[in-house]
Amino acid sequence: LVIGRLKQCQLAVRQVDGARIVEAERLEQGRMNILCEGESRFRIHRFTQSAPFWKGAVDFFDDDEHHSTKSLYEQVADLYRTVSDLSAKLSGSQPAELILPESSLDLSYMVSFVLDIDSEEKQKLLEVKSTAERLRMLVAHLTDTIHKLEQQRSLKDVVAKVRGNGDLGRPHKGN
């Protein structure tokens, strides 16, 4: 592991391919919180130790790239921008200026990371070995997210109209 910035913490670190320590914090009873950042993709094919910490035998791999992903990149980027704009409108804030990664691979990981989906779906995205397939999956997730955000926006508009009605449907007194 390559040591990044550490919070006044001395570590005995051995070189490990595929990850680097970003931050480490000593806790009571000799424990530590260590934040690592992956630099290579790998699959654990067996664990070799579980105490005092986990070790495993891994296979490193790269995404399989046999197809052009340019059109999928554009589709995901456009859908992501739409999600960002709709989210800003719902929250009443200004849309953020998005700076998207230039590569399809990096875009697929970035959107997978920030997209509000359950952890099992995120894991499925992580396990896909094809950038094109990951982008196709993201198109479906982003389209679904847009649909949900549009429903929320419509509901918010209806609620605003009802609140603006004044009497909220109560009969008038008097007459």
Side-chain angles (χ1 to χ4, degrees):
L1 297 171
V2 180
I3 299 176
R5 76 183 156 91
L6 302 176
K7 291 183 177 177
Q8 300 176 359
C9 182
Q10 297 295 320
L11 292 176
V13 179
R14 291 186 299 162
Q15 184 68 31
V16 176
D17 291 332
R20 68 183 177 91
I21 295 175
V22 176
E23 191 172 317
E25 175 185 16
R26 271 203 197 280
L27 303 172
E28 296 174 12
Q29 300 174 344
R31 296 184 330 203
M32 299 180 77
N33 282 334
I34 301 175
L35 176 63
C36 295
E37 182 176 283
E39 294 181 331
S40 299
R41 294 188 70 192
F42 61 89
R43 181 175 305 261
I44 299 170
H45 62 85
R46 69 183 162 84
F47 288 100
T48 59
Q49 174 182 314
S50 63
F53 50 85
W54 287 95
K55 281 187 179 181
V58 301
D59 292 320
F60 290 95
F61 65 90
D62 292 318
D63 274 9
D64 301 327
E65 292 308 318
H66 302 293
H67 305 92
S68 172
T69 56
K70 184 175 180 174
S71 64
L72 284 167
Y73 173 97
E74 292 301 327
Q75 192 175 5
V76 168
D78 289 343
L79 290 168
Y80 184 70
R81 285 184 189 100
T82 302
V83 167
S84 177
D85 289 345
L86 286 170
S87 296
K89 287 176 184 173
L90 271 169
S91 67
S93 61
Q94 292 294 320
E97 180 184 338
L98 297 179
I99 300 171
L100 300 178
E102 293 181 15
S103 78
S104 295
L105 176 71
D106 291 343
L107 179 72
S108 73
Y109 288 139
M110 192 268 317
V111 175
S112 296
F113 175 73
V114 299
L115 194 58
D116 188 20
I117 56 176
D118 66 48
S119 57
E120 286 181 23
E121 286 301 310
K122 284 189 185 245
Q123 184 64 34
K124 287 178 188 176
L125 288 165
L126 181 64
E127 291 179 4
V128 171
K129 290 185 178 182
S130 163
T131 302
E133 182 59 27
R134 191 175 311 104
L135 290 169
R136 280 191 280 279
M137 291 170 70
L138 287 170
V139 166
H141 284 299
L142 288 165
T143 301
D144 184 54
T145 300
I146 289 168
H147 178 72
K148 289 176 183 175
L149 290 171
E150 286 172 340
Q151 286 179 328
Q152 288 177 17
R153 181 152 171 88
S154 295
L155 182 60
K156 186 176 179 179
D157 290 345
V158 167
V159 168
K161 286 178 184 176
V162 168
R163 284 189 180 147
N165 191 11
D167 65 10
L168 298 176
R170 287 177 276 186
H172 294 284
K173 293 183 182 176
N175 297 12

